[in-house]
C-alpha cells in the first residue's frame, strides 16, 4: 500500500486505481456480502487518510511531464500512445473525490462504520499535529498548507457522525488546533468545526471557555464568540 502511495507521487493515476478499487469493494449495500467486505476496511484507515489529503506540489520538471501527458492525451486515438495507455482519471483530485464519496456513504448508526469514522478522525487530528511539528511556519499553497486544508475539510465532512462521547476524546486536540500557527484558510476550518461543536453540544462551552479565557488569542477567540452570539 505504502509503496503504491509513494509511487503515485511520480506516476500519475497509480493511487487512483488503488483507492477506487478499495472504495468500490467497501461501499455498503443491503446485502450481507457487502457488510462482510466492509469489515476489512478497518485495517486500511491509513489508506483512506492518505487519500483524503493526497496531492503533491509538483516541481517545475514534474509539471512539465504532466503537461506533456495531458497534451498527448488530448491528441486522442490518432496518437498511438493513447491506444496503449488509457486515461483512468489520473488527476490528483479524483483520489480525494473517491475517498470523500466513500465516507459520505457510511452510516453513522452502524457500529462498524462508526468505529471506522472515529478511527479515521483521530488519525486526521494526529496527522495535523505531526505536520505542525514538522514545519512551525509554512507558506500559502505549500504541501503542508494543502495537507492541513484537506484534513480539516475531511473532519468537517465527518463531523455530523460524531457523538458526544467521541467528542469528549478529541475535543482537547480540536481546541488546541486553535493555538497553532496556521494559514488563514486552515484557521477558518478549525473555527467552523469548533462553532459547529458548540452549537450542537453547548455542554462543551465551559470547557472551551476554560481553554481560551486565561490567555488572549485575538481574532480566533473573537471570531468564535461572535459566531456563537449570532
Amino acid at each position: 500500500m505504502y509503496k503504491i502511495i509513494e509511487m503515485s507521487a511520480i506516476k500519475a493515476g497509480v493511487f487512483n486505481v488503488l483507492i477506487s478499487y478499495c472504495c468500490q469493494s467497501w461501499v455498503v449495500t443491503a446485502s450481507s456480502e457487502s457488510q462482510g467486505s466492509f469489515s476489512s476496511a478497518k485495517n486500511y484507515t491509513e489508506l483512506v487518510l492518505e487519500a483524503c489529503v493526497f496531492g503533491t506540489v509538483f516541481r517545475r520538471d514534474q509539471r512539465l511531464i504532466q503537461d506533456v501527458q495531458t497534451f498527448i492525451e488530448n491528441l486522442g486515438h490518432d496518437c498511438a500512445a493513447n491506444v496503449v495507455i488509457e486515461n483512468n482519471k489520473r488527476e490528483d483530485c479524483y483520489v480525494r473525490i473517491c475517498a470523500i464519496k466513500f465516507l459520505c456513504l457510511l452510516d453513522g448508526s452502524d457500529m462498524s462504520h462508526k468505529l471506522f469514522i472515529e478511527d479515521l478522525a483521530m488519525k486526521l487530528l494526529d496527522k495535523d499535529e505531526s505536520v505542525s511539528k514538522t514545519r512551525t511556519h509554512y507558506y500559502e499553497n505549500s504541501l503542508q498548507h494543502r495537507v492541513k486544508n484537506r484534513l480539516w475539510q475531511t473532519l468537517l465532512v465527518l463531523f455530523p457522525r460524531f457523538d458526544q462521547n467521541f467528542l469528549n476524546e478529541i475535543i482537547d486536540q480540536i481546541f488546541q488546533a486553535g493555538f497553532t500557527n496556521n494559514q488563514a484558510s486552515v484557521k477558518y476550518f478549525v473555527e467552523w468545526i469548533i462553532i459547529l461543536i458548540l452549537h450542537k453540544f453547548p455542554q462543551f462551552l465551559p470547557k472551551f471557555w476554560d481553554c481560551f479565557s486565561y490567555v488572549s488569542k485575538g481574532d480566533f477567540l473573537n471570531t468564535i464568540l461572535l459566531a456563537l452570539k449570532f
Side-chain angles (χ1 to χ4, degrees), residues 117-197:
I117 290 168
E118 292 177 354
D119 185 31
L120 177 62
M122 288 189 287
K123 283 183 168 63
L124 286 164
L125 289 169
D126 290 341
K127 179 85 168 180
D128 180 68
E129 288 186 4
S130 66
V131 172
S132 296
K133 291 176 182 177
T134 302
R135 187 69 63 87
T136 305
H137 298 282
Y138 59 94
Y139 57 90
E140 185 178 0
N141 208 33
S142 63
L143 182 57
Q144 291 80 13
H145 182 205
R146 294 187 184 196
V147 167
K148 279 177 163 282
N149 248 318
R150 292 161 184 165
L151 68 85
W152 282 102
Q153 286 172 354
T154 306
L155 284 167
L156 281 167
V157 170
L158 296 177
F159 170 75
R161 283 81 176 275
F162 297 166
D163 59 23
Q164 184 179 344
N165 291 332
F166 177 62
L167 281 171
N168 275 323
E169 298 179 34
I170 64 172
I171 194 70
D172 289 332
Q173 280 182 281
I174 294 175
F175 285 161
Q176 188 61 39
F179 291 92
T180 308
N181 182 25
N182 286 314
Q183 290 288 327
S185 59
V186 178
K187 288 181 182 179
Y188 296 151
F189 287 132
V190 178
E191 289 170 1
W192 266 114
I193 199 166
I194 291 176
I195 290 167
L196 290 171
I197 289 170

Side-chain angles (χ1 to χ4, degrees), residues 98-131:
C98 278
I100 296 298
K101 180 182 178 181
F102 165 69
L103 295 175
C104 289
L105 291 173
L106 297 183
D107 181 3
S109 63
D110 184 298
M111 184 54 65
S112 61
H113 296 188
K114 181 177 181 293
L115 292 174
F116 181 90
I117 290 168
E118 292 177 354
D119 185 31
L120 177 62
M122 288 189 287
K123 283 183 168 63
L124 286 164
L125 289 169
D126 290 341
K127 179 85 168 180
D128 180 68
E129 288 186 4
S130 66
V131 172

Side-chain angles (χ1 to χ4, degrees), residues 12-55:
V14 173
F15 200 173
N16 305 41
V17 174
L18 174 63
I19 192 65
S20 60
Y21 171 79
C22 290
C23 288
Q24 287 171 15
S25 300
W26 297 332
V27 163
V28 178
T29 63
S31 68
S32 58
E33 181 181 352
S34 293
Q35 292 286 348
S37 66
F38 181 81
S39 64
S40 67
K42 67 180 183 295
N43 300 318
Y44 297 99
T45 50
E46 289 282 353
L47 175 66
V48 179
L49 166 65
E50 292 301 325
C52 290
V53 300
F54 180 72

